[in-house]
């Protein structure tokens, strides 16, 4: 066992140049302080890397082979999550340049194209990923339904999923207002009017959503705050529950 | 103990059936992620996100549309009561959606695509059914059948079919202004003919007029309730609830300037000071915007399940679930597409190339 190896790590046999490089890169003190296991090229290390890495340990270490087939999930839940992450990254970058005031919002967005290097690219990616996420989440729900994956013991995770669907729509809807152009203003006006038609409570709810009788500065700041922090936070929490429950419910659904 | 969802019901997994997550899953995920990043970057480099003129509350674009995933709701708003289309039905739909696993608790067909015997046929059939019915209802409500009739025959749809000429009636007196029905025909029956040949359900509320002579009897709830005639729709637009002599519902829609009854005056001020809510029933609107849509929606859903059951395809709850979920998702997508691509200025039903591009 090489010096610095933690007990239980395995590594391939055989000397040679590659072995030497391997030794230097993956078996030094620093590497092993970061990654507890050796490079994942033996079954044991492969399981260790999944089990000991905070990001990878969302997964089990082994998985039934039908679930790896792309046609079982089409990766749709994973892609929804991936888009959520991508939206967070591009969204944070957009926040550098965007001020949610009626005076500045529109010009800030317009300036992305002219004054900010790759600004338009960032905005476009944020926009298209947002549309993409709505679509992947809907398709994910369809795949879960048609594979009968909501059945016991996964009932509650389906409910969590429905909440995530609503949150996804709300995230997209609140973001829609932010560019403060005609499209934004009127789409949100039409959208909030729909809520306003609710019996009894409709008017009050719309008033709270808009912070007034029409979509104006108050609505902009409310939508902005919900869009950049409130809703993403709630969505992240529900996603954590969603993923946790997949593991707790015994991994993904499988025929009895 | 009968736990609702026991976690370990599956037999111990056989190790040979399993793969290691690294590399078999993680690499697939990685490739998916790279492909997606790549395609979104390319797309974003090529296609710009829309940004039109600065928001201006004084200029309403025509058409004004919600974001695409709410266009299905906006589509429903065109056909029924706003609260029903925009709030009540979506809420019911979401609750039922969330309740799916509680309504269908069997474990049959779990974890495989289309796990039950007939599920593929049920899915195909109910998506075709839902598409056809949605399209049909949208076309009917847009009066396309009348348009086609007029194009083909060159005649006007309403009126000419039965009465030779479009007929107009004076709503106040019931007198026929142009080419009336035969003297002996009760106005109501003639009006029924009109209705059958009206363009859409909304005509019940907007195009349908009839008037029955009550010979002085005072029985109308509308603006001219006291004229001794029963007029449709005018006399049915403000039916008080509860119906007391048909004349007042204090504060909430008293048309005749009578003082409220004693019990009302005795109520505490804070109660009578509440925002007055119009509790009068607008019967024509209720028929057109609530009753008929609900009957159509419930009726067509029941019909779908009934037909599938008669064919013998529905064997379990899971099958029923598949039919309903498929219809729901199909209607969602169909209405989204109609709302995005087929609704032009004034939300008229037009061809996709006639939908104006909003850029101002
Ligand atoms: C932001 C939205 C969502 C994210 C990020 C997400 C993510 C995921 C992921 C990564 C999986 C693992 C399997 C797969 O990729 O298909 C999964 C499974 C699952 N999801 Fe979602 N999901 C979301 C929304 C939904 C919705 C809308 C529903 C249903 C209404 C749902 C119900 C489920 C269920 C029941 C499973 C377990 C599937 C099985 O056991 O095969 N999720 N989700």
């Amino acid at each position: 066992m090489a010096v610095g190896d933690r007990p239980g790590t395995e590594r391939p046999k055989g000397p040679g140049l590659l072995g030497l490089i391997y030794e230097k890169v993956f078996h030094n003190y620093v590497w092993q302080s970061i990654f507890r296991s050796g490079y994942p090229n033996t079954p044991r290390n492969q399981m260790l890397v999944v089990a000991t890495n905070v990001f990878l340990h969302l997964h089990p270490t082994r998985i039934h082979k039908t679930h790896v087939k792309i046609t079982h999930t089409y990766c749709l839940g994973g892609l929804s999550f991936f888009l959520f992450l991508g939206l967070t990254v591009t969204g944070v970058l957009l926040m550098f340049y965007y001020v949610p005031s009626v005076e500045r919002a529109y010009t800030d967005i317009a300036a992305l194209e002219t004054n900010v290097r790759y600004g338009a690219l960032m905005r476009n990616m944020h926009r298209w990923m947002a549309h993409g996420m709505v679509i992947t989440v809907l398709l994910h729900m369809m795949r879960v339904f048609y594979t009968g994956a909501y059945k016991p013991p996964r009932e509650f995770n389906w409910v969590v999923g429905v909440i995530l669907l609503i949150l996804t729509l709300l995230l997209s809807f609140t973001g829609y207002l932010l560019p403060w152009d005609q499209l934004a203003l009127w789409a949100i006006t039409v959208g909030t009017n729909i809520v306003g038609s609710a019996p009894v409570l409709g008017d009050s709810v719309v008033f709270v959503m808009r912070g007034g009788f029409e979509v104006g500065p108050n609505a902009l700041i409310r939508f902005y705050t919900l869009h950049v922090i409130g809703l993403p936070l709630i969505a992240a929490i529900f996603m954590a529950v969603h993923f946790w429950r997949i593991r707790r419910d015994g991994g993904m659904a499988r025929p009895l | 103990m009968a736990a609702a969802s026991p976690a370990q019901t599956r037999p111990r997994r056989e190790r040979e059936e399993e793969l290691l997550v690294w590399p078999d899953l993680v690499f697939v995920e990685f490739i998916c992620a790279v492909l997606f990043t790549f395609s979104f970057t390319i797309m974003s480099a090529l296609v710009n996100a829309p940004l039109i003129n600065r928001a201006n509350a004084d200029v309403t674009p025509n058409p004004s549309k919600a974001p695409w995933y709410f266009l299905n709701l906006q589509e429903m708003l065109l056909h029924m009561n706003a609260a029903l289309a925009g709030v009540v039905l979506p809420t019911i739909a979401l609750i039922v959606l969330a309740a799916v696993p509680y309504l269908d608790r069997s474990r049959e067909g779990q974890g495989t695509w289309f796990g039950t015997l007939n599920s593929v046929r049920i899915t195909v059939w109910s998506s075709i059914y839902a598409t056809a019915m949605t399209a049909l209802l949208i076309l009917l409500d847009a009066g396309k059948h009348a348009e086609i009739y007029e194009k083909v025959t060159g005649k006007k749809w309403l009126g000419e079919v039965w009465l030779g000429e479009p007929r107009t009636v004076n709503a106040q007196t019931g007198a026929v202004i142009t080419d009336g029905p035969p003297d002996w025909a009760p106005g109501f029956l003639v009006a029924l003919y009109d209705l059958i040949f009206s363009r859409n359900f909304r005509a019940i509320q907007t195009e349908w007029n009839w008037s029955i002579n009550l010979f002085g009897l005072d029985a109308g709830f509308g603006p001219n309730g006291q004229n001794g005639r029963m007029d449709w729709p005018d006399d049915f637009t403000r039916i008080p609830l509860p119906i007391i002599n048909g004349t007042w519902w204090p504060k909430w829609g008293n048309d005749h300037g009578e003082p409220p009854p004693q019990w009302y005056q005795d109520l505490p001020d804070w109660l009578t000071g509440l925002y007055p809510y119009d509790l009068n029933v607008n019967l024509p609107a209720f028929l057109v915007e609530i009753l008929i849509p609900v009957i159509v929606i419930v009726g067509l859903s029941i019909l779908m399940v009934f037909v599938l059951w008669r064919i013998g395809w529905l064997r379990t709850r899971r099958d029923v679930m598949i039919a309903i979920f498929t219809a729901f998702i199909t209607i969602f997508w169909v209405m989204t597409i109609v709302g995005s691509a087929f609704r032009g200025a004034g939300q008229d039903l037009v061809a996709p190339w006639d939908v104006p591009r909003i850029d101002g």
Side-chain angles (χ1 to χ4, degrees):
Chain A
M1 194 184 275
V3 189
D5 262 9
R6 293 181 190 261
T9 45
E10 287 177 15
R11 70 201 137 92
K13 308 202 168 48
L17 184 61
L18 281 177
L20 207 68
I21 296 174
Y22 178 87
E23 191 77 25
K24 285 279 171 266
V25 176
F26 298 117
H27 282 265
N28 64 58
Y29 196 79
V30 176
W31 175 275
Q32 294 214 325
S33 74
I34 305 172
F35 302 103
R36 295 308 195 193
S37 51
Y39 185 80
N41 51 3
T42 68
R44 189 194 161 84
N45 281 350
Q46 286 171 340
M47 286 198 277
L48 277 175
V49 74
V50 172
T52 58
N53 182 295
V54 64
F55 304 108
L56 292 179
H57 101 288
L58 285 174
H59 304 96
T61 54
R62 25 174 86 246
I63 186 171
H64 194 267
K65 62 180 175 211
T66 50
H67 294 152
V68 176
K69 265 179 95 181
I70 192 97
T71 50
H72 185 69
T73 61
Y74 292 98
C75 269
L76 286 164
L79 285 175
S80 307
F81 182 53
F82 177 69
L83 288 176
F84 181 74
L85 296 179
L87 283 161
T88 310
V89 172
T90 51
V92 167
L93 291 173
L94 288 174
M95 279 175 78
F96 290 169
Y97 304 98
Y98 177 84
V99 176
S101 75
V102 168
E103 292 73 39
R104 280 197 55 184
Y106 180 75
T107 40
D108 285 351
I109 295 288
L112 284 175
E113 214 161 303
T114 47
N115 299 1
V116 181
R117 185 162 298 172
Y118 301 124
L121 184 73
M122 274 308 121
R123 170 161 188 253
N124 294 347
M125 284 192 69
H126 196 73
R127 182 85 164 204
W128 301 137
M129 281 182 161
H131 286 321
M133 184 169 164
V134 174
I135 295 173
T136 54
V137 170
L138 283 169
L139 293 178
H140 169 62
M141 177 177 78
M142 291 170 71
R143 114 62 198 151
V144 169
F145 181 86
Y146 288 112
T147 55
Y150 59 81
K151 286 159 173 283
R154 294 176 186 76
E155 306 97 327
F156 184 65
N157 218 13
W158 171 271
V159 178
V160 173
V162 173
I163 294 170
L164 281 171
L165 170 68
I166 297 170
L167 286 170
T168 307
L169 294 180
L170 286 179
L171 269 165
S172 173
F173 185 66
T174 48
Y176 216 92
L177 180 64
L178 304 186
W180 202 249
D181 63 346
Q182 280 287 74
L183 217 54
L185 176 73
W186 290 97
I188 299 315
T189 304
V190 171
T192 46
N193 276 343
I194 295 181
V195 180
S197 61
V200 189
L201 281 181
D203 290 336
S204 334
V205 174
V206 175
F207 191 86
V208 172
M209 280 173 80
R210 293 178 181 168
F213 289 108
E214 46 186 54
V215 181
N218 293 348
L220 183 57
I221 193 73
R222 277 170 203 217
F223 275 54
Y224 175 78
T225 314
L226 286 174
H227 185 73
V228 302
I229 181 76
L231 292 168
L233 212 61
I234 302 173
I237 292 170
F238 274 96
M239 280 182 207
V241 175
H242 197 57
F243 301 154
W244 169 259
R245 286 299 295 237
I246 296 174
R247 296 288 306 279
R248 288 291 109 180
D249 295 339
M252 288 206 293
R254 190 148 91 67
L256 286 174
Chain B
M1 198 183 72
S5 25
Q8 347 59 346
T9 45
R10 192 195 303 156
R12 268 192 79 73
R13 26 176 121 182
E14 310 83 31
R15 276 285 140 98
E16 315 86 74
E17 300 259 284
E18 290 181 345
L19 298 170
L20 287 175
V21 161
W22 184 301
D24 292 292
L25 179 62
V26 176
F27 281 32
V28 173
E29 290 176 342
F30 183 71
I31 293 167
C32 270
V34 170
L35 283 180
F36 244 55
T37 314
F38 191 70
S39 11
F40 272 104
T41 313
I42 297 285
M43 180 176 175
S44 303
L46 297 179
V47 192
N48 270 333
L51 184 70
I52 58 175
N53 289 344
R54 196 170 189 285
N56 181 353
D58 299 328
V59 181
T60 314
N62 187 7
S64 291
K65 292 190 180 184
W68 64 267
Y69 41 84
F70 286 149
L71 286 183
N72 36 68
L73 296 184
Q74 212 180 338
E75 179 64 33
M76 288 211 293
L77 284 175
L78 298 174
H79 306 287
M80 58 191 89
N81 174 272
L84 182 68
V87 182
V88 178
L89 286 179
T91 308
I92 294 177
L94 279 176
I95 291 174
V96 173
L97 186 67
V100 161
Y102 301 93
L103 299 172
D104 165 30
R105 303 178 187 184
S106 65
R107 278 146 201 268
E108 161 202 42
Q110 180 179 347
T112 39
W113 280 92
F114 300 105
T116 60
L117 184 62
N118 292 319
S119 44
V120 174
R121 312 181 207 183
I122 297 171
T123 308
V124 172
W125 195 89
S126 35
S127 59
I128 293 175
Y129 174 86
T131 309
M133 289 303 158
T134 312
L136 199 74
L137 285 174
I138 289 174
L139 289 173
L140 272 182
D141 216 23
K144 290 291 169 193
H145 55 293
E147 236 168 73
I148 292 170
Y149 173 89
E150 285 172 355
K151 266 217 188 90
V152 172
T153 64
K155 291 189 202 159
K156 230 173 121 30
W157 172 260
L158 178 69
E160 267 186 36
V161 185
W162 292 92
L163 303 167
E165 267 264 298
R167 191 175 48 93
T168 42
V169 179
N170 184 324
Q172 300 287 326
T173 60
V176 174
I177 298 166
T178 51
D179 192 28
D183 276 349
W184 46 267
F188 184 75
L189 279 187
V190 175
L192 266 184
Y193 289 141
D194 285 357
L195 190 62
I196 294 166
F197 287 93
S198 59
R199 273 162 207 278
N200 51 27
F201 293 129
R202 195 166 288 278
I204 296 175
Q205 187 186 359
T206 55
E207 287 174 27
W208 199 33
N209 292 300
W210 48 262
S211 175
I212 296 174
N213 197 339
L214 294 178
F215 304 104
L217 217 68
D218 173 17
F221 309 123
N224 41 20
Q226 317 289 290
N227 66 355
R229 303 190 67 93
M230 184 90 100
D231 301 311
W232 183 276
D234 290 354
D235 278 343
F236 295 85
T237 52
R238 294 178 69 81
I239 301 178
L241 269 185
I243 302 171
I244 305 166
N245 289 333
T247 43
W248 54 259
W249 178 257
K251 186 160 185 181
W252 302 329
N254 182 345
D255 290 328
H256 306 299
E258 290 165 19
Q262 196 52 46
W263 65 264
Y264 182 83
Q265 295 179 23
D266 292 342
L267 292 175
D269 282 351
W270 64 265
L271 199 62
T272 53
L274 285 177
Y275 185 76
Y277 212 84
D278 188 357
L279 289 179
N280 295 302
V281 172
N282 182 340
L283 186 65
F286 174 77
L287 276 181
V288 167
E289 300 193 334
I290 297 182
L291 194 65
I292 293 175
V294 168
I295 290 176
V296 168
I297 292 168
V298 174
L300 287 178
S301 313
I302 292 176
L303 181 68
M304 175 185 75
V305 175
F306 178 76
V307 169
L308 284 170
W309 174 73
R310 282 310 296 262
I311 304 175
W313 288 354
L314 298 186
R315 296 161 66 249
T316 60
R317 275 186 177 219
R318 165 74 173 152
D319 290 337
V320 180
M321 243 7 127
I322 292 177
I324 293 173
F325 180 84
T326 306
F328 169 73
I329 287 288
T330 310
I331 294 167
F332 177 93
W333 287 118
V334 170
M335 288 200 304
T336 308
I337 292 169
V338 171
S340 329
F342 292 90
R343 289 287 174 190
Q347 303 293 339
D348 283 344
L349 196 62
V350 297
W353 47 88
D354 289 333
V355 175
R357 271 187 61 90
I358 299 296
D359 42 20

